[in-house]
Amino acid sequence: MRVELIQHTPDPEKVVAAAARLCYSADPVSDLLEQLDDDRVASFVRKLQEMGHLSPFEHVSFQFSIDGVSRALSHQLVRHRIASYSQRSQRYVAEKGFKYVIPPSVKRNPEALERFEMVMARLQEDYQELLNFVPAEDARYVLPNACTTSLMASFNVRSLLNFFEHRTCIRAQWEIRFLAEKMLELVREVAPNLFCEAGPTCITRGVCHQGTYSCGRLKTLEGKKEAT
């Protein structure tokens, strides 16, 4: 998995703070931007988070390059609908000798790994043979979810916070959780105040919405608080 932050809105935290101040000021945005120093920006961002006033966060966007992830992951990723995606097409790009993602549980089991790799090898051969008879757009029907893909994804900050809330949870599927953790690491380097409270709700709000499926981390965190 390779994840890069391609670009983002310049001065993202200042943009959010200016958008928030605009709601209560007669001054134009250009003047508001000049009036904001780092301390005031950080203060505004924290106040917005505490109030749950997140609409100003929507003015800032981040674009990511995502490579070497499975189609199984991309099917989950695009469910986050307040975002924009471009993905390598299996219709126009032939997947000859396609690469694939091996789940950790398969890697840990020699018998499972052998069977998994046999299936992948057979599918590669079958796909290659089908290309001799039908267009790639039809041959792709035999390609597995494990087949790797490349994407470009653009999120605004509010949508990213929602993404991190759901996908950094331990209950999230392992591959998209790894992706979310990498993305969160990247955006925190650029805008630490915007994402200081990003993550699963057990950590950020002290609540868990998984019910009987809870991983138990919230109880562990509560136990640590009581011990201190």
Side-chain angles (χ1 to χ4, degrees), residues 54 79 170:
L54 300 182
R79 292 173 186 168
I170 292 177

Side-chain angles (χ1 to χ4, degrees), residues 166-198:
H166 289 86
R167 301 302 185 172
T168 60
C169 173
I170 292 177
R171 286 281 302 161
Q173 187 260 351
W174 67 269
E175 190 182 12
I176 199 167
R177 187 173 73 251
F178 291 170
L179 171 65
E181 290 169 350
K182 287 178 179 289
M183 290 169 62
L184 179 53
E185 181 180 348
L186 290 171
V187 296
R188 272 184 172 158
E189 292 179 1
V190 175
N193 291 304
L194 290 179
F195 296 101
C196 63
E197 297 295 329

Side-chain angles (χ1 to χ4, degrees), residues 77-95:
L77 182 62
V78 296
R79 292 173 186 168
H80 293 270
R81 293 182 291 277
I82 305 178
S84 300
Y85 305 98
S86 295
Q87 183 172 15
R88 187 177 69 224
S89 172
Q90 291 181 334
R91 182 183 184 191
Y92 297 108
V93 181
E95 296 281 4

Side-chain angles (χ1 to χ4, degrees), residues 88-126:
R88 187 177 69 224
S89 172
Q90 291 181 334
R91 182 183 184 191
Y92 297 108
V93 181
E95 296 281 4
K96 298 178 181 178
F98 62 81
K99 295 181 181 180
Y100 52 86
V101 173
I102 305 177
S105 63
V106 174
K107 288 184 178 180
R108 290 192 297 266
N109 187 313
E111 184 177 351
L113 178 59
E114 180 180 8
R115 180 165 298 189
F116 188 92
E117 291 182 329
M118 286 176 59
V119 170
M120 293 299 111
R122 186 171 67 248
L123 287 174
Q124 287 174 332
E125 292 178 3
D126 292 341

Side-chain angles (χ1 to χ4, degrees), residues 131-177:
L131 288 176
N132 296 323
F133 305 102
V134 299
E137 67 177 17
D138 295 333
R140 64 179 167 164
Y141 278 75
V142 302
L143 293 173
N145 273 338
C147 186
T148 59
T149 188
S150 297
L151 305 99
M152 181 182 293
S154 299
F155 290 79
N156 69 49
V157 173
R158 190 175 191 176
S159 183
L160 269 178
L161 291 172
N162 177 268
F163 174 70
F164 294 142
E165 178 178 307
H166 289 86
R167 301 302 185 172
T168 60
C169 173
I170 292 177
R171 286 281 302 161
Q173 187 260 351
W174 67 269
E175 190 182 12
I176 199 167
R177 187 173 73 251

Side-chain angles (χ1 to χ4, degrees), residues 46-79:
R46 285 195 298 270
K47 190 171 183 179
L48 291 171
Q49 291 169 332
E50 292 170 359
M51 296 171 59
H53 180 34
L54 300 182
S55 60
F57 287 47
E58 297 174 15
H59 293 291
V60 172
S61 63
F62 290 80
Q63 289 77 44
F64 302 88
S65 170
I66 304 169
D67 298 292
V69 297
S70 72
R71 281 268 170 170
L73 182 150
S74 68
H75 294 333
Q76 298 176 77
L77 182 62
V78 296
R79 292 173 186 168

Side-chain angles (χ1 to χ4, degrees), residues 2-23:
R2 297 177 301 281
V3 186
E4 296 180 22
L5 179 57
I6 303 173
Q7 62 180 11
H8 57 81
T9 303
D11 294 322
E13 295 183 345
K14 182 177 285 189
V15 169
V16 169
R21 285 206 63 197
L22 178 65
C23 299

